[in-house]
Amino acid sequence: MNEISNIAPDGQRADRCPGMSYTDMLEGDTRRAPDYLFEETHPDMPTDPLSVEPYISEDFARLERERMWPNVWLFAARVDEMPEPGDTVVFEINDKSFLLVRQQDGAVRAFYNACLHRGRKLRTKGGKTPNLRCNFHGFTWNNDGSLKEIPCAWDFKHLEDKDMSLPEVRVNVWQGFVMITENETLPDFAEWLGSPASHYDRYDFENRYTGMWVKKRIPANWKATAEAFMEAWHSVTTHPQLLPFLGDANTRYDLIGDNFNRAITPSGVLSPHMKGKDQMYVLEKMNEFSGGSDASTNRRFNATELPDDIDADDPLMARKVLAEAGRKGFAQQYGYDYSDASDTEILDNFTYNIFPNFSPWIGYLPTLVYRWLPGDTPDWCTMEIRLLFPTPKGEPRPRSVECTTIPDDEPFSWATDKMGAALANVFDQDMANLPHVQTGMKTMKQGLMELGKYQDSRVRHFQTTLMKYINGELPA
């Protein structure tokens, strides 16, 4: 049920940032945006404080391992990591290890990564293999999980009539993402996710490839780290260099079902925190960011040519000019026709979150994908960041790049050659907060956090869904 109250006399919502909203901006786009970007879904949420216990308690982490992680769909791999028969990926989360194997028919199967003899992991890293052979005693399975060989078979006569196939977990391949779950009764992934699954259809994710991939250990709980990317209004303090061209407080937040929420943050517009700057200033500053140190990631194109009929009084002028530069730049780079792509799909930041730890953005530009993996204590996690690039028209999809692990004592800027300086700097600014979030939560006298009603609503929605799993309300 959508909120319909709390409207100010001037027609604006009293609980939203004053000024032009993201939805207002859509109305001014030069091309019609898809309907799902106009849909505002924001059910009324409570405003009571949230406990810090889920972030710092080992008992709570144990409940997550028991009640939540086995009962959700998890992003385990991209198909471009394993394009050929015999390719394998090892996916590990908590104390579980899963072995994904590309089959001869092109399907992907996933097995519990353990030998049925003494439990040794069958593989400790991915790669191509003709079969799955344990390095301890040599028990061997075919890539489809069927038993191939038992050394000294004379000593295992008692197993001759027993099914010794490797136990499997369910696999769904969706938009090029390999999703797995241990729960046999969950709906298939797209049904489990609901209507947002269709939002990806326009952008040919199946044909994208991982062109940038880094991971780093973060000294903060996986939920605290994920939640740092669930709202944009921290930019005014944490990312001040973005304010000249990022509508941070204009971000729209949508909460859809239990397992999905999103933030849509407009680009090419002045932050409402800044005053007295014109459209040429916005254009200049975004050109500096997109055409300079961010160029190596090619996420956006700077606008070097201005149209003759430019309207300096149009509050969306810079946005329109930058979107057109993006259409032309992407067409030249990838060979596709972007002439019908809306301004928002070329420019904006669609931070889509799929519960619990998966954030695959949408849009025509190379899209970010985040994954957060819990550590063996509540006080740390691993964050992975990918960029998915469109495969140039008429070319075969490239294989995924290898993941680059950033050393614990190095910042994201250590991987500037992979990420681009501007992108790495944004993540370093975020990470500067997180260790102090983790230690600060332990310091709070009352152990309670007071959240904003709207701008922190995704955090509350995420925590509400988490507690449904912990309390046994989900899976239904």
Tab-separated table of all heavy atoms in Angstrom, residues 52 56 433-445 447-449:
chain	number	residue	atom	x	y	z
A	52	VAL	N	21.569	-2.664	17.561
A	52	VAL	CA	22.857	-2.967	16.930
A	52	VAL	C	23.236	-4.437	17.077
A	52	VAL	O	24.240	-4.879	16.503
A	52	VAL	CB	23.980	-2.084	17.520
A	52	VAL	CG1	23.681	-0.618	17.291
A	52	VAL	CG2	24.203	-2.382	19.004
A	56	ILE	N	26.746	-7.037	15.653
A	56	ILE	CA	27.905	-7.287	16.521
A	56	ILE	C	27.834	-8.618	17.256
A	56	ILE	O	28.813	-9.012	17.884
A	56	ILE	CB	28.061	-6.143	17.550
A	56	ILE	CG1	26.859	-6.085	18.505
A	56	ILE	CG2	28.250	-4.807	16.829
A	56	ILE	CD1	27.007	-5.021	19.597
A	433	ASN	N	34.505	5.214	6.560
A	433	ASN	CA	33.488	5.262	7.612
A	433	ASN	C	33.289	3.921	8.312
A	433	ASN	O	33.022	3.863	9.519
A	433	ASN	CB	32.141	5.686	7.014
A	433	ASN	CG	32.121	7.111	6.520
A	433	ASN	OD1	32.686	7.993	7.143
A	433	ASN	ND2	31.469	7.337	5.396
A	434	LEU	N	33.392	2.831	7.573
A	434	LEU	CA	32.853	1.557	8.051
A	434	LEU	C	33.565	0.973	9.274
A	434	LEU	O	32.887	0.449	10.173
A	434	LEU	CB	32.825	0.556	6.898
A	434	LEU	CG	31.678	0.836	5.913
A	434	LEU	CD1	31.859	0.071	4.618
A	434	LEU	CD2	30.332	0.495	6.549
A	435	PRO	N	34.897	1.012	9.389
A	435	PRO	CA	35.487	0.489	10.627
A	435	PRO	C	34.967	1.208	11.862
A	435	PRO	O	34.787	0.592	12.924
A	435	PRO	CB	36.987	0.733	10.418
A	435	PRO	CG	37.169	0.846	8.954
A	435	PRO	CD	35.918	1.481	8.438
A	436	HIS	N	34.689	2.505	11.715
A	436	HIS	CA	34.229	3.296	12.860
A	436	HIS	C	32.734	3.101	13.102
A	436	HIS	O	32.252	3.341	14.215
A	436	HIS	CB	34.573	4.761	12.628
A	436	HIS	CG	36.030	4.975	12.315
A	436	HIS	ND1	37.029	4.664	13.210
A	436	HIS	CD2	36.649	5.414	11.190
A	436	HIS	CE1	38.202	4.925	12.671
A	436	HIS	NE2	38.001	5.371	11.435
A	437	VAL	N	32.006	2.679	12.077
A	437	VAL	CA	30.626	2.250	12.290
A	437	VAL	C	30.615	0.993	13.164
A	437	VAL	O	29.859	0.892	14.141
A	437	VAL	CB	29.912	1.994	10.946
A	437	VAL	CG1	28.567	1.310	11.176
A	437	VAL	CG2	29.716	3.304	10.186
A	438	GLN	N	31.462	0.023	12.817
A	438	GLN	CA	31.471	-1.257	13.537
A	438	GLN	C	31.872	-1.074	15.003
A	438	GLN	O	31.227	-1.601	15.905
A	438	GLN	CB	32.418	-2.238	12.848
A	438	GLN	CG	32.323	-3.664	13.366
A	438	GLN	CD	30.997	-4.334	13.056
A	438	GLN	OE1	30.260	-3.888	12.187
A	438	GLN	NE2	30.686	-5.393	13.784
A	439	THR	N	32.934	-0.307	15.239
A	439	THR	CA	33.359	-0.099	16.628
A	439	THR	C	32.416	0.846	17.360
A	439	THR	O	32.169	0.686	18.560
A	439	THR	CB	34.792	0.440	16.676
A	439	THR	OG1	34.886	1.633	15.880
A	439	THR	CG2	35.778	-0.588	16.140
A	440	GLY	N	31.856	1.814	16.624
A	440	GLY	CA	30.948	2.756	17.257
A	440	GLY	C	29.661	2.105	17.733
A	440	GLY	O	29.134	2.462	18.792
A	441	MET	N	29.150	1.132	16.966
A	441	MET	CA	27.922	0.456	17.385
A	441	MET	C	28.123	-0.253	18.725
A	441	MET	O	27.193	-0.344	19.538
A	441	MET	CB	27.475	-0.528	16.310
A	441	MET	CG	26.871	0.140	15.093
A	441	MET	SD	26.085	-1.016	13.924
A	441	MET	CE	27.518	-1.921	13.339
A	442	LYS	N	29.321	-0.754	18.958
A	442	LYS	CA	29.590	-1.430	20.229
A	442	LYS	C	29.681	-0.438	21.386
A	442	LYS	O	29.569	-0.829	22.558
A	442	LYS	CB	30.892	-2.209	20.126
A	442	LYS	CG	30.857	-3.331	19.103
A	442	LYS	CD	32.199	-4.048	19.034
A	442	LYS	CE	32.173	-5.169	18.009
A	442	LYS	NZ	33.468	-5.885	17.935
A	443	THR	N	29.891	0.821	21.065
A	443	THR	CA	30.061	1.862	22.074
A	443	THR	C	28.729	2.469	22.513
A	443	THR	O	28.633	3.035	23.600
A	443	THR	CB	30.984	2.966	21.509
A	443	THR	OG1	32.234	2.378	21.161
A	443	THR	CG2	31.212	4.084	22.501
A	444	MET	N	27.687	2.340	21.677
A	444	MET	CA	26.420	3.011	21.955
A	444	MET	C	25.841	2.565	23.301
A	444	MET	O	25.698	1.364	23.554
A	444	MET	CB	25.431	2.731	20.822
A	444	MET	CG	25.897	3.229	19.464
A	444	MET	SD	24.704	2.890	18.136
A	444	MET	CE	23.563	4.263	18.391
A	445	LYS	N	25.522	3.522	24.130
A	445	LYS	CA	25.047	3.202	25.475
A	445	LYS	C	23.760	2.401	25.445
A	445	LYS	O	23.598	1.406	26.148
A	445	LYS	CB	24.868	4.485	26.281
A	445	LYS	CG	24.423	4.241	27.717
A	445	LYS	CD	24.352	5.530	28.505
A	445	LYS	CE	23.927	5.247	29.952
A	445	LYS	NZ	23.869	6.508	30.757
A	447	GLY	N	22.511	1.021	22.630
A	447	GLY	CA	22.564	-0.012	21.593
A	447	GLY	C	21.462	0.128	20.567
A	447	GLY	O	21.029	-0.872	19.974
A	448	LEU	N	21.011	1.364	20.318
A	448	LEU	CA	19.896	1.604	19.406
A	448	LEU	C	20.257	2.693	18.412
A	448	LEU	O	20.836	3.726	18.777
A	448	LEU	CB	18.643	2.025	20.187
A	448	LEU	CG	18.075	0.989	21.164
A	448	LEU	CD1	16.964	1.623	21.983
A	448	LEU	CD2	17.562	-0.244	20.426
A	449	MET	N	19.890	2.485	17.140
A	449	MET	CA	20.133	3.452	16.069
A	449	MET	C	18.812	4.104	15.667
A	449	MET	O	17.801	3.412	15.501
A	449	MET	CB	20.747	2.758	14.852
A	449	MET	CG	22.063	2.068	15.119
A	449	MET	SD	22.775	1.328	13.618
A	449	MET	CE	21.525	0.085	13.248
